[in-house]
């Protein structure tokens, strides 16, 4: 929905279902309910998650026509896709497999190009649109610098092919599309410095000469084209888990000419670690309900001297709780935006408020997407009905947009 100068939506990866039939069924069930909860009369935005399977079905002309008719009849529009999870994302063990296939593969490239082909046909004519994607791969799969370099080179080659397609669409049809890379803890690109390194040392040197030769562009024009069509999905939870200062990060991106494709509004968990061992039991008790088997919940601990220590998953961190010298933990668990505390632990809600304020001042992007996808694995005492939960989150953001 439009709020002031912004397009606000929620990501439909909240709904289980990998086929287009299941995805469309969820849209038809929940979108009218959510619109009713919000009393929305203006066009309602949808942040669409399509699996590889669903994308192969929706790209068929008869399915696309049916979906476009449904969007029109229900006064809805789509301006962003979540193209990070390729396959199953609910009711099964996902963990690190959410990165499969990674950007070194033909499968990831083909899937992303298919999503852009669909998005180009359903997006509003008067705005840009984007697809968020994985941070190339999962870093623990690449044990040596040689293996990492090979991944980076092949990932760049595939992403540049996507850029060529998007640039051609811009030339021929004046359609403005961008691929939005989403840094995530333990991704190959996991924080702001890694993203800047990827642009400066890989993507621009790799892609610039290719675009220059194919389209007759100068080096400066080729770099600008890459930065137009490859942007950032700024997931607030992910940057908060890494203790990054949002103003400093956005300053650094702006200095490098790296654009924000969308802000994903999501909150992490955070816990202060008491010095007394007996008091730590209360923290453990508060965190144990968040231990679950579906998703990775990376933890980053902060020492007194501000050095950081990463744990691959929450159970790994809890094993160290009795002896750790860390003062604080940040946990990658997308908890509801509208709650700031969970017993003896808290959320990074303040980070979202900070980002909304900065974006209101700088107008970095008009694309805002709520991404709390963990409703099915949250502790029972947090649950509302799904449509009420989504509406409450959207209303919370609407009331805090500056």
């Amino acid at each position: 929905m439009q709020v002031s100068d912004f397009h606000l939506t929620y990501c439909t990866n909240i709904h289980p279902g990998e086929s287009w039939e299941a995805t469309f069924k969820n849209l038809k069930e929940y979108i009218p309910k959510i619109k009713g909860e919000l009393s929305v009369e203006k066009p309602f935005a949808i942040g669409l998650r399509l699996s590889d399977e669903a994308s192969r079905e929706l790209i068929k002309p008869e399915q696309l026509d049916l979906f476009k008719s449904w969007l029109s009849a229900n006064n809805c529009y789509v301006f962003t896709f979540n193209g990070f999870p390729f396959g199953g994302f609910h009711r099964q063990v996902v963990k690190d497999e959410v990165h499969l296939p990674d950007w070194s593969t033909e499968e990831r490239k083909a899937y992303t190009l298919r999503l852009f082909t669909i998005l180009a046909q359903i997006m509003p004519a008067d705005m840009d649109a984007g697809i968020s994607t994985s941070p190339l791969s999962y870093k623990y799969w690449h044990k040596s610098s040689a293996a990492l370099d090979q991944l980076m080179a092949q990932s760049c080659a595939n992403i540049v092919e996507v850029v060529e397609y998007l640039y051609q669409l811009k030339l021929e049809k004046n359609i403005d599309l961008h691929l939005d890379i989403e840094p995530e803890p333990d991704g190959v690109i996991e924080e702001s410095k890694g993203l800047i390194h990827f642009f400066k040392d890989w993507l621009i040197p790799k892609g610039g000469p290719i675009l220059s030769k194919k389209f007759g562009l100068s080096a400066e024009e080729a770099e600008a084209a890459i930065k137009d069509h490859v942007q950032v999905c700024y997931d607030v939870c992910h940057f908060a888990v890494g203790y990054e200062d949002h103003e400093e990060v956005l300053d650094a991106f702006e200095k490098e000419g790296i654009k924000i494709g969308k802000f994903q509004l999501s909150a992490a968990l955070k816990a202060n670690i008491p010095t007394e061992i007996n008091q730590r039991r209360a923290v453990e008790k508060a965190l144990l309900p968040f231990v679950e088997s579906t998703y990775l919940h990376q933890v980053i601990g902060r020492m007194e001297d501000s050095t950081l220590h990463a744990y691959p998953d929450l159970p790994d961190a809890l094993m160290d709780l009795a002896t750790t010298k860390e003062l604080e933990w940040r946990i990658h668990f997308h908890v509801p935006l509208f709650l700031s505390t969970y017993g003896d632990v808290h959320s990074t809600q303040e980070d979202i408020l900070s980002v909304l304020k900065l974006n209101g001042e700088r107008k970095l992007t008009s694309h805002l997407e709520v991404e709390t996808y963990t409703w099915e694995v949250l502790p029972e005492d947090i649950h509302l009905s799904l449509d009420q939960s989504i509406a409450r989150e959207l209303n919370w953001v609407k009331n805090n947009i500056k």
Side-chain angles (χ1 to χ4, degrees):
M1 58 183 173
Q2 278 199 271
V3 182
S4 186
D5 297 327
F6 303 101
H7 299 274
L8 172 63
T9 185
Y10 80 99
C11 182
T12 62
N13 67 350
I14 192 172
H15 304 300
E18 302 309 312
S19 68
W20 171 241
E21 180 183 9
T23 302
F24 199 14
K25 181 181 177 182
N26 282 325
L27 294 177
K28 289 186 283 190
E29 177 181 356
Y30 284 103
I31 295 301
K33 290 180 182 178
I34 295 164
K35 289 177 69 178
E37 292 280 349
L38 295 167
S39 300
V40 172
E41 296 181 0
K42 293 181 179 180
F44 185 78
I46 298 173
L48 190 60
R49 185 256 161 163
L50 290 176
S51 69
D52 178 68
E53 177 188 347
S55 72
R56 293 175 184 273
E57 297 165 1
L58 180 54
I59 202 168
K60 296 173 182 176
E62 64 273 17
Q63 294 294 338
L64 266 175
D65 288 344
L66 184 63
F67 184 44
K68 287 191 284 188
S69 295
W70 182 86
L71 288 171
S72 177
N74 287 273
N75 200 21
C76 295
Y77 65 103
V78 178
F79 69 86
T80 185
F81 281 1
N82 185 339
F84 190 151
F86 178 93
F89 193 63
H90 287 277
R91 298 172 183 170
Q92 65 184 71
V93 176
V94 178
K95 297 294 183 179
D96 59 341
E97 291 186 7
V98 73
H99 293 277
L100 288 175
D102 67 24
W103 265 104
S104 68
T105 66
E106 288 295 311
E107 290 89 346
R108 173 64 65 175
K109 179 182 69 176
Y111 165 59
T112 304
L113 287 169
R114 193 180 312 116
L115 292 181
F116 274 120
T117 300
I118 295 168
L119 184 55
Q121 297 180 68
I122 64 174
M123 63 186 280
D126 59 348
M127 65 182 296
D128 64 302
I131 295 174
S132 53
T133 193
S134 82
L136 305 189
S137 187
Y138 186 59
K139 72 177 183 181
Y140 293 116
W141 295 341
H142 310 280
K143 302 297 185 182
S144 67
S145 58
L148 187 59
D149 284 352
Q150 184 178 4
L151 167 86
M152 298 290 266
Q154 188 57 55
S155 296
C156 276
N158 286 333
I159 289 174
V160 169
E161 285 193 47
V162 174
V163 172
E164 290 179 49
Y165 176 71
L166 301 183
Y167 186 76
Q168 194 75 45
L169 275 177
K170 179 72 172 176
L171 287 178
E172 294 177 356
K173 299 183 178 181
N174 198 32
I175 295 174
D176 190 0
L177 292 164
H178 40 86
L179 179 69
D180 303 330
I181 296 175
E182 182 179 339
E184 176 174 293
D186 292 343
V188 167
I189 300 173
E190 58 183 333
E191 31 75 271
S192 58
K193 290 181 181 177
L195 187 72
I196 291 169
H197 163 68
F198 177 66
F199 270 85
K200 290 181 68 175
D201 298 331
W202 287 96
L203 191 56
I204 303 301
K206 178 76 176 178
I210 294 173
L211 292 183
S212 295
K213 183 177 180 181
K214 182 166 184 176
F215 297 105
L217 303 177
S218 68
E220 292 77 14
E221 290 170 332
E223 180 175 339
I226 290 170
K227 289 177 177 176
D228 281 342
H229 295 296
V230 182
Q231 300 187 18
V232 184
C233 171
Y234 194 110
D235 188 307
V236 181
C237 167
H238 298 171
F239 285 91
V241 169
Y243 299 85
E244 297 217 54
D245 182 289
H246 300 290
E247 186 168 12
E248 290 179 3
V249 170
L250 294 173
D251 285 346
F253 287 166
E254 191 170 7
K255 180 181 177 182
E256 297 295 337
I258 298 172
K259 299 176 182 178
I260 305 297
K262 68 179 172 184
F263 283 111
Q264 275 189 335
L265 304 176
S266 56
L269 285 170
K270 64 178 180 179
N272 294 321
I273 310 300
T275 55
E276 293 293 327
I277 299 299
N278 289 340
Q279 294 176 352
R280 294 185 181 192
R281 291 182 183 140
V283 174
E284 181 181 33
K285 183 179 179 181
L287 288 176
L288 279 173
F290 294 94
V291 174
E292 57 82 31
S293 61
T294 303
Y295 306 108
L296 276 177
H297 300 296
Q298 304 92 327
V299 178
I300 298 182
R302 181 179 58 83
M303 303 285 284
E304 187 173 7
D305 63 0
S306 295
T307 58
L308 303 179
H309 175 224
Y311 301 89
D313 207 349
L314 180 55
D316 303 293
L318 288 173
M319 288 178 64
D320 280 359
L321 181 57
T323 58
T324 185
K325 298 293 195 294
E326 292 148 8
L327 303 181
E328 182 182 358
W329 282 354
R330 302 277 181 95
I331 301 115
H332 177 212
F333 199 119
H334 288 221
V335 291
L337 311 187
F338 49 76
L339 296 173
S340 59
T341 60
Y342 299 86
D344 287 309
V345 296
H346 303 269
S347 84
T348 57
Q349 186 189 80
E350 286 296 322
D351 289 71
I352 301 169
L353 295 172
S354 173
V355 165
L356 288 173
K357 181 175 184 293
L358 288 164
N359 192 43
E361 294 167 352
R362 304 186 186 191
K363 300 295 188 291
L364 299 168
T365 180
S366 64
H367 294 186
L368 305 176
E369 181 182 49
V370 172
E371 202 210 13
T372 306
Y373 57 79
T374 51
W375 295 105
E376 287 195 338
V377 296
L378 283 169
E380 286 295 328
D381 59 354
I382 298 176
H383 284 180
L384 298 170
S385 71
L386 193 53
D387 53 294
Q388 289 175 322
S389 298
I390 296 167
R392 187 174 175 184
E393 295 218 290
L394 291 171
N395 266 328
W396 183 89
V397 175
K398 180 181 176 182
N399 292 334
N400 284 285
I401 286 177
K402 304 300 181 184

